[in-house]
Amino acid sequence: MRVGMSTSSAPSSLFNLDALFDNPLFAGGIGLASLGAAAAFARKGAIVALGAARRRLLVNVEISKQDPAYPWILAWLSQPRENPGFLASRLTRIHNLSVTTTTSSRGANLGGPSNAHFFLQPGYGRHIVKFGGAYIAVNREKHSTANMNTGEPHEIVQLTTLWAHRHAFEAIFSEAHQLAAKANEGRTIVYAARGMDWASLGEPRKKRPLGSVVLDEGVKESIVTDVKDFLSRQQWYVDRGIPYRRGYLLFGPPGSGKSSFIQALAGELDFGVAMVNLSEMGMTDDKLAYLLTKLPKRSLLLLEDADAAFVNRRQRDADGYSGASVTFSGLLNALDGLAAGEERIAFLTTNHIDRLDPALIRPGRVDMMLRLGEATKYQAAQMWDRFYGDVDKDGSGRERFLQRLDELGLFGTDREGKPSNRHTSTAAIQGLFLFNKNDAQGAIDMAEGLIPRKFEAEDTVPDGAIKTPP
């Protein structure tokens, strides 16, 4: 039987590799593709190797704008520093700068000339600074995203140096913190809630001396002693399983010095003041609880006019919605509940203690209550000495002033010792003294203006009279 023709020559005719490789165009294409693949592989390998070397040799620290250290680092970077040597002076030149400007009046009135202070700091981009023997690469970036609460764009500052110099970061942060502390020395920082975060409310205030607030005899000393005792007994609370927090309620008529005393106490303790407005629209139970657990360190919590927080609420809309607000139970839980934070000193103030629910001022939420009342003879004498002690050295003017207030019945009794139903406030006395800064006799002559008055819409005030509110 005859077998068909051999098929061994068919594949060679279809796939003649030798012929293909003999083709210069095909061979050149294969060569170029091989070189491209080798180059791409080498590039990828170099990138991987460089990344590995970077991870091994460099260390990065990233600081977000939300972190308290962010302004400290910018202030530290803005400090002038000497970099001797040709190479160091050229590498550390910063060409992109941003400026922060603050102004303060130095004239006799608000319309007078003002001082302007300009703080130059590295702008957005990359910079190099030298700290000791280490070179630090600085990259300040502004992101396209923004904080949902405040609308401010997210920013970061990234510091990079060699792994061998990683310990320089500790020294940098320590120096930046000391610089910030020195800048705020003698000042009290006031914080306010901004969204879900705490933010400084304007520039730090100059510390108010504790002696500038005149309370009735022994009142101020009792509060200061109690607060300092609390601060010294943290371990005592821990050992007994008691939440480490303290609450104070200051109540009394307007102008008795409640807020002024809290500011002065913060200055005495070198604390800040964190204020919460319970009546603020959008302040919910969850937001309040979160803010109270994230209080700035070394700060006094201040809840002013606690009696007004749950009155005069917004009327309900047609759909029944009355707006987000703090409920009474939410306030109680934030002060002394499962969500309440510790290491906290809270001050509540009110002009009408009778409007407060007993549940709010029970021990554990309010540990100490003090009434700061109408001006007493002791307070009036102390305030006179502070204003006119340098000119009234023998105290005769003070005695005539106190006698005049007695005649007017402003200490609660008349000349015959019967109730006069008249009082004045330390704020009113201070206003009188400020009106007569350099005229002690004028303050005595105008003492009648301290008598509280209730003004109606149709009332008129005589020219030259002191407008003292009731």
Side-chain angles (χ1 to χ4, degrees):
M1 184 174 176
R2 178 181 294 182
V3 183
M5 295 179 63
S6 174
T7 60
S8 61
S9 61
S12 62
S13 63
L14 294 175
F15 304 101
N16 193 339
L17 297 179
D18 292 337
L20 290 174
F21 280 106
D22 288 339
N23 188 317
L25 293 176
F26 181 80
I30 290 293
L32 289 174
S34 300
L35 289 175
F41 182 79
R43 180 175 178 273
K44 185 176 182 180
I47 292 175
V48 172
L50 185 61
R54 179 185 177 89
R55 288 191 297 271
R56 293 283 184 179
L57 297 177
L58 301 179
V59 57
N60 301 321
V61 172
E62 184 177 290
I63 307 104
S64 169
K65 189 175 183 180
Q66 281 70 44
D67 191 275
Y70 187 84
W72 304 349
I73 291 297
L74 289 185
W76 178 82
L77 290 170
S78 67
Q79 294 300 299
R81 48 179 59 88
E82 293 292 333
N83 290 305
F86 179 82
L87 181 62
S89 62
R90 297 303 185 274
L91 287 176
T92 57
R93 285 180 178 176
I94 298 178
H95 298 279
N96 297 328
L97 299 171
S98 63
V99 63
T100 301
T101 306
T102 59
T103 59
S104 59
S105 177
R106 59 181 174 87
N109 51 60
L110 295 179
S114 61
N115 287 323
H117 303 276
F118 303 95
F119 299 95
L120 292 175
Q121 54 197 19
Y124 301 105
R126 299 179 181 275
H127 318 278
I128 295 178
V129 297
K130 188 178 181 183
F131 180 74
Y135 285 93
I136 312 292
V138 180
N139 183 26
R140 185 183 178 192
E141 295 180 355
K142 179 187 288 187
H143 292 175
S144 58
T145 58
N147 188 317
M148 296 298 292
N149 295 319
T150 63
E152 294 181 340
H154 288 127
E155 294 183 15
I156 65 166
V157 169
Q158 187 180 70
L159 308 180
T160 304
T161 190
L162 292 173
W163 176 262
H165 297 151
R166 63 190 182 278
H167 300 297
F169 289 136
E170 299 176 7
I172 289 174
F173 283 111
S174 176
E175 189 172 305
H177 180 257
Q178 292 175 8
L179 186 66
K182 186 177 181 180
N184 292 326
E185 191 173 318
R187 297 179 178 272
T188 299
I189 303 176
V190 179
Y191 300 95
R194 183 183 296 176
M196 299 296 288
D197 298 315
W198 291 99
S200 177
L201 188 63
E203 293 295 317
R205 280 80 164 158
K206 289 185 178 180
K207 286 183 179 179
R208 180 165 185 169
L210 194 59
S212 68
V213 181
V214 181
L215 302 182
D216 204 6
E217 192 170 7
V219 174
K220 178 170 55 178
E221 292 76 12
S222 64
I223 303 176
V224 174
T225 300
D226 189 83
V227 171
K228 290 184 176 180
D229 179 73
F230 170 77
L231 292 174
S232 66
R233 289 181 176 269
Q234 182 172 6
Q235 191 59 44
W236 187 92
Y237 279 78
V238 173
D239 293 341
R240 288 156 180 79
I242 304 173
Y244 186 57
R245 49 180 176 256
R246 193 81 171 156
Y248 300 86
L249 174 66
L250 305 182
F251 65 97
S256 56
K258 297 182 288 294
S259 299
S260 299
F261 170 72
I262 294 170
Q263 180 185 351
L265 176 63
E268 174 73 12
L269 301 174
D270 199 21
F271 272 44
V273 179
M275 300 192 308
V276 175
N277 181 5
L278 297 175
S279 301
E280 176 186 343
M281 296 308 298
M283 180 66 70
T284 62
D285 293 347
D286 292 341
K287 180 179 177 180
L288 178 64
Y290 180 81
L291 288 171
L292 264 57
T293 58
K294 298 294 183 180
L295 279 175
K297 297 295 184 183
R298 295 185 62 82
S299 64
L300 304 178
L301 171 65
L302 174 57
L303 302 174
E304 284 195 295
D305 299 325
D307 59 287
F310 307 101
V311 297
N312 299 326
R313 288 293 194 182
R314 170 185 164 189
Q315 298 296 318
R316 291 183 181 273
D317 295 333
D319 58 0
Y321 179 71
S322 61
S325 58
V326 177
T327 65
F328 186 71
S329 61
L331 175 60
L332 297 183
N333 289 329
L335 290 176
D336 183 32
L338 292 177
E342 295 200 11
E343 299 187 25
R344 185 184 71 204
I345 301 175
F347 279 87
L348 285 75
T349 68
T350 179
N351 297 331
H352 307 281
I353 191 173
D354 54 297
R355 298 179 185 175
L356 298 182
D357 192 288
L360 178 61
I361 56 178
R362 70 157 175 82
R365 294 184 178 122
V366 171
D367 303 291
M368 190 174 184
M369 293 189 296
L370 293 106
R371 183 179 188 275
L372 306 187
E374 298 81 2
T376 64
K377 185 174 293 188
Y378 172 83
Q379 290 174 286
Q382 292 290 312
M383 294 181 69
W384 177 276
D385 288 342
R386 288 191 61 83
F387 276 84
Y388 305 117
D390 55 338
V391 295
D392 183 32
K393 298 186 183 299
D394 60 356
S396 59
R398 178 185 62 217
E399 294 306 318
R400 286 187 285 115
F401 177 69
L402 297 179
Q403 183 179 355
R404 179 58 177 154
L405 297 190
D406 256 333
E407 294 172 354
L408 296 171
L410 292 176
F411 294 132
T413 58
D414 59 19
R415 297 178 183 178
E416 300 176 357
K418 297 179 181 179
S420 63
N421 297 321
R422 279 185 183 178
H423 293 91
T424 189
S425 66
T426 53
I429 295 176
Q430 179 174 284
L432 174 67
F433 291 165
L434 289 174
F435 195 83
N436 297 275
K437 297 182 183 67
N438 302 314
D439 186 5
Q441 185 59 44
I444 299 173
D445 296 339
M446 299 178 68
E448 189 173 353
L450 296 175
I451 299 175
R453 289 188 57 190
K454 291 186 178 180
F455 294 103
E456 302 296 337
E458 63 274 9
D459 288 348
T460 59
V461 180
D463 294 339
I466 300 178
K467 302 178 183 180
T468 305

